[in-house]
Every structure is written in C-alpha cells, then in structure tokens.
Amino acid sequence: MKALILTSMLVLLWLGTCSARSSDHDSGSSPGRDLSRFFSNYWKVTRARRALPPADEPDDSPIPAGADESDLPTCLLCVCLTGSVYCEEVSPDMTSVPTLPKETAYLYARFNKIKKIRTKDFADILTLRRIDLTGNLISEIEDGAFSKLTLLEELSLADNRLVKLPALPAKLKSFNANNNLLKTKGVKATAFKKLIGLVNLYLADNEMEAVPQIPEKVRILHLQNNNITDVNIDTFCRSNDTYYLRPSLSEVRLDGNPVILSKYPDSFTCLQVLPVGRYR
C-alpha cells in the first residue's frame, strides 16, 4: 500500500513538471532543468511525509484471525444512525455490550452471545430510552447496571438465561423477560412496585411460582407457562377495599400454569376481564 501511494505521488509530480515544462518553453526551459526540478520536488514531499507523526501513516496491517469484537470500533461492527445503534447477529461474536456513542438513545443488540451486563456498560450513556438484548446468553446482570438510566422506557431481556432480575429504572413503560430461567426467589415481590409508569410486563415461559406485585397502570401482563400454583384476592385486587376497580389491566395470561383459577373467584372481581388460564 505504501509503495502504491509513493508511486502515485511520483506520477503526480512528473505530470506537474511536464505541465510546467510547456509553460516555461518560451523562457528557455531545458530537459535537464525539468528533471532537476522534478527530483527537487520529490525530495521535498518525501521529507515532509517522513515528518508526519506515526498516527498519520496508513495502517496496512490486517485484522488478526480470531479477533474479538472489542478490537474493532462499535460503528464498524454495528450500524450507527443518529441516536440509534443496531448490533444484531454480529460477526465476530459479540460477547459483551459494545462501547456506545455518547448520544445513543436506542440500542438493538439482539441475537448475539452477550453473557453479562456490567455496571460500566451503560454508566455514561444517560440518553438511553430503549435497550433490546433479546436472544443473547445473559445469565448475570450486575447490581446497578441500569440505575443511572433515568430516561429508559423500554427494556427487553427476553430469550436469555437470567435466574434473577436486577433493580429496574423507575421510568420503564415496557419490560420483557420472557423465556428465561426466572424463579420467584429471583424476582422480588416488590421488584416492579416502584415502576408507576409500567404498562406492559412480560414474564412468560419462566419458572416462577407466584405472581409479583403488579403496578397500578399495567395493561398487559403475561405470566403464561410458569409454575404458578395459586393466586389470592390481593394478587390483583384489594382485600380491604371491596369497591376497588382495576380497569387498566385488560389482558392477563396465566395459561400453562398449574393453578386452577376457578378456585379463586374473589381474586378477579376488580378486573374488567377474567385472566386467560385453566378453570377446571
């Protein structure tokens, strides 16, 4: 590559000299003088090129075989648009969250091999509004990994290997943890209590034995295909308030669980529609 660049420079210098020759013909220019001018210009350019700092030199070295994704800039591995980063099915395998541009608001890193979410992964990206990590190998999320994301509204951790949930940002409107390995001991009863703006909650295809506390504004609740064995009047309604209604909760799925819902008729009196599930 360096030889090609040098050759190109020589050709350009020679053409420039030839052009100068024609313009100087009437003033007595000679071939010997033209050749002298050519080599004078060549050595000037060569000396200037040698004076460049090393970082300005072209890098011809190939990417090593088996290189990790961390060896490459994020926007070479992924598609970076204004405020959005798309890192889906990246090759070479993406095993950790990439370094994101500071202004990132939407991250789509689906169907990779990310195994762990670290606290530092999102610590400096306070503009994030949506994170989609569906279809990875995530089994661990460090405490506080999402704690600084005060603008985050949508988070998908579906189709991973989680056994417990981390603390979630207070402004979440949609949370998806379908198809993980979550059990009730890994999901605190109050895990969603402070998410007062939560609208969609997806926890299907896990191993949970009980229904966690559901925030007031939730409209869609998916808990199908878990190990839930019972519900009670306080699961969805309030035992101390017979007039309490919950019109916003319009879709509840409990199908695929051992619980027989007809045994708990008082547990759904505040709902506009009965949950989907087993009644006999």
Side-chain angles (χ1 to χ4, degrees):
M1 178 64 77
K2 291 181 181 178
L4 179 61
I5 292 172
L6 184 58
T7 302
S8 300
M9 292 172 63
L10 288 171
V11 171
L12 289 173
L13 284 170
W14 177 251
L15 290 175
T17 302
C18 291
S19 175
R21 181 191 301 172
S22 61
S23 63
D24 292 344
H25 181 71
D26 296 334
S27 60
S29 174
S30 65
R33 184 180 302 171
D34 293 336
L35 190 61
S36 176
R37 179 187 300 157
F38 168 76
F39 280 108
S40 176
N41 289 339
Y42 164 72
W43 288 116
K44 287 180 181 177
V45 172
T46 300
R47 284 193 295 269
R49 188 170 182 271
R50 286 175 178 171
L52 289 173
D56 292 331
E57 291 286 333
D59 185 2
D60 302 323
S61 57
I63 297 173
D68 185 81
E69 87 288 342
S70 61
D71 297 331
L72 299 172
T74 297
C75 291
L76 287 181
L77 287 167
C78 310
V79 176
C80 297
L81 303 175
T82 304
S84 300
V85 177
Y86 299 85
C87 303
E88 303 192 352
E89 298 183 278
V90 171
S91 180
D93 292 341
M94 178 176 286
T95 57
S96 61
V97 175
T99 302
L100 301 173
K102 293 290 185 182
E103 72 280 3
T104 303
Y106 304 96
L107 170 63
Y108 303 89
R110 301 181 292 189
F111 313 117
N112 290 293
K113 295 185 179 180
I114 298 171
K115 298 177 181 179
K116 181 178 180 179
I117 307 298
R118 301 163 297 180
T119 303
K120 66 179 183 179
D121 288 336
F122 303 117
D124 299 323
I125 316 297
L126 307 183
T127 52
L128 280 164
R129 293 180 178 273
R130 179 185 300 160
I131 297 174
D132 192 342
L133 295 167
T134 299
N136 280 276
L137 304 174
I138 301 169
S139 59
E140 181 183 355
I141 301 177
E142 291 183 358
D143 291 336
F146 304 116
S147 61
K148 294 184 178 180
L149 304 182
T150 57
L151 300 179
L152 193 67
E153 296 181 343
E154 298 180 41
L155 175 60
S156 178
L157 300 170
D159 303 321
N160 279 283
R161 298 178 179 179
L162 291 171
V163 295
K164 68 175 183 177
L165 293 181
L168 299 171
K171 287 192 176 181
L172 272 187
K173 293 182 178 179
S174 180
F175 179 66
N176 189 341
N178 283 347
N179 195 26
N180 276 274
L181 303 172
L182 295 170
K183 295 185 177 182
T184 297
K185 66 179 180 180
V187 181
K188 295 180 180 179
T190 58
F192 309 106
K193 185 177 181 180
K194 295 182 179 180
L195 309 185
I196 58 175
L198 192 65
V199 174
N200 302 321
L201 179 56
Y202 304 100
L203 296 169
D205 299 289
N206 281 285
E207 301 174 14
M208 298 176 60
E209 299 91 0
V211 179
Q213 291 184 25
I214 308 301
E216 195 69 26
K217 291 186 178 180
V218 170
R219 296 177 185 172
I220 298 175
L221 174 63
H222 285 188
L223 284 163
Q224 66 268 29
N225 303 322
N226 277 278
N227 293 325
I228 298 170
T229 55
D230 64 16
V231 294
N232 58 60
I233 193 169
D234 289 309
T235 301
F236 301 109
C237 305
R238 295 177 181 173
S239 57
N240 60 354
D241 186 355
T242 56
Y243 296 98
Y244 173 72
L245 295 176
R246 196 167 194 169
S248 59
L249 190 54
S250 58
E251 182 179 322
V252 180
R253 290 194 57 181
L254 288 167
D255 46 311
N257 284 279
V259 61
I260 299 177
L261 299 178
S262 58
K263 291 183 177 181
Y264 310 95
D266 296 333
S267 298
F268 316 116
T269 55
C270 64
L271 303 180
Q272 285 190 327
V273 296
L274 289 173
V276 176
R278 181 183 176 190
Y279 283 88
R280 60 179 182 178

